[in-house]
Amino acid sequence: ENDQVHIVAFHDILGGPLVHHMDLHGTTNEILGADKRLCRVYMDLIHPWEAGSPQTFELPREAGIPLGKDGYRAFRVEVHYHNPRRQSGLVDQRSGVRLYYSTVRRPHVAGLMLLGDYMLKLRGSYTVGSAGNNFTTAVAAGMRHSFYCPPTCFSETRLGARNDKQVPH
């Protein structure tokens, strides 16, 4: 009897041009899964999508993400928008994430590793969103930052695991 299935792919559905990024969170807790509030604290980030990223991501054939018994039981999609022109009256009733699963259990469990520094400093000040930064001044001045990490940053030798996708934010 096979009561364990694996998520094998994701397809991100964009409800409009203002979608900046989406995060799919999940919980393995049966009780929390029944709670409509689904607090972010008790959920794992399973799948991120960023503007410019491919909308479909397939896991390698040998890896999957457990779903159902001994796996994720409930999900929450968090959609962030970028509306620099401050357009009003817009409604997004379509954005989301389609999951594809297999009833054939995969030999390995896929995971997500987040890399970054929430205290990152740029030009002597904290990034947008922290108490130490004046967002209005930064936007008015046209401040932009660009980051690059060579492929060797994500090599299997360096990480100790195989990397199948990177999503910079």
Side-chain angles (χ1 to χ4, degrees), residues 3-4 18 20 35 51 60 63 70 82 103 113 116-117 121 126 128 138 141 143 149 158 169:
D3 51 5
Q4 175 69 67
L18 300 180
H20 179 263
D35 187 344
D70 300 323
H82 181 61
T103 57
M113 177 173 29
D117 182 357
K121 286 189 173 188
Y126 290 102
V128 173
M143 185 185 297
C149 185
R158 187 169 191 170
H169 181 265

Side-chain angles (χ1 to χ4, degrees), residues 13-16 18-25 40 49 76-82 92-97:
I13 301 164
L14 308 179
L18 300 180
V19 176
H20 179 263
H21 72 269
M22 294 188 295
D23 294 330
L24 176 67
H25 299 268
R40 182 184 211 178
W49 176 86
R76 175 175 162 256
V77 177
E78 189 175 297
V79 181
H80 293 221
Y81 300 93
H82 181 61
D92 179 353
Q93 296 179 341
R94 188 171 166 260
S95 291
V97 180

Side-chain angles (χ1 to χ4, degrees), residues 120-127 132-133 143 145:
L120 181 68
K121 286 189 173 188
L122 302 171
R123 294 188 191 162
S125 65
Y126 290 102
T127 56
N133 188 28
M143 185 185 297
H145 300 284

Side-chain angles (χ1 to χ4, degrees), residues 4 7 23-47 65-77 99:
Q4 175 69 67
I7 298 170
D23 294 330
L24 176 67
H25 299 268
T27 182
T28 57
N29 187 300
E30 192 171 346
I31 295 169
L32 285 176
D35 187 344
K36 292 186 186 335
R37 296 171 291 175
L38 289 176
C39 180
R40 182 184 211 178
V41 174
Y42 302 106
M43 301 190 84
D44 299 328
L45 177 59
I46 300 171
H47 171 72
I65 298 172
L67 178 65
K69 184 178 181 197
D70 300 323
Y72 289 102
R73 295 174 174 256
F75 300 92
R76 175 175 162 256
V77 177
L99 303 178

Side-chain angles (χ1 to χ4, degrees), residues 86-163:
R86 300 191 186 274
Q87 300 172 42
S88 62
L90 302 175
V91 178
D92 179 353
Q93 296 179 341
R94 188 171 166 260
S95 291
V97 180
R98 182 174 292 131
L99 303 178
Y100 293 89
Y101 67 92
S102 172
T103 57
V104 176
R105 190 176 190 151
R106 303 254 172 123
H108 300 285
V109 174
L112 180 69
M113 177 173 29
L114 300 174
L115 303 173
D117 182 357
Y118 72 96
M119 294 297 288
L120 181 68
K121 286 189 173 188
L122 302 171
R123 294 188 191 162
S125 65
Y126 290 102
T127 56
V128 173
S130 66
N133 188 28
N134 183 332
F135 178 72
T136 306
T137 303
V139 171
M143 185 185 297
R144 298 201 187 277
H145 300 284
S146 178
F147 300 91
Y148 173 75
C149 185
T152 55
C153 285
F154 300 106
S155 71
E156 189 170 339
T157 304
R158 187 169 191 170
L159 294 176
R162 192 169 99 195
N163 174 33

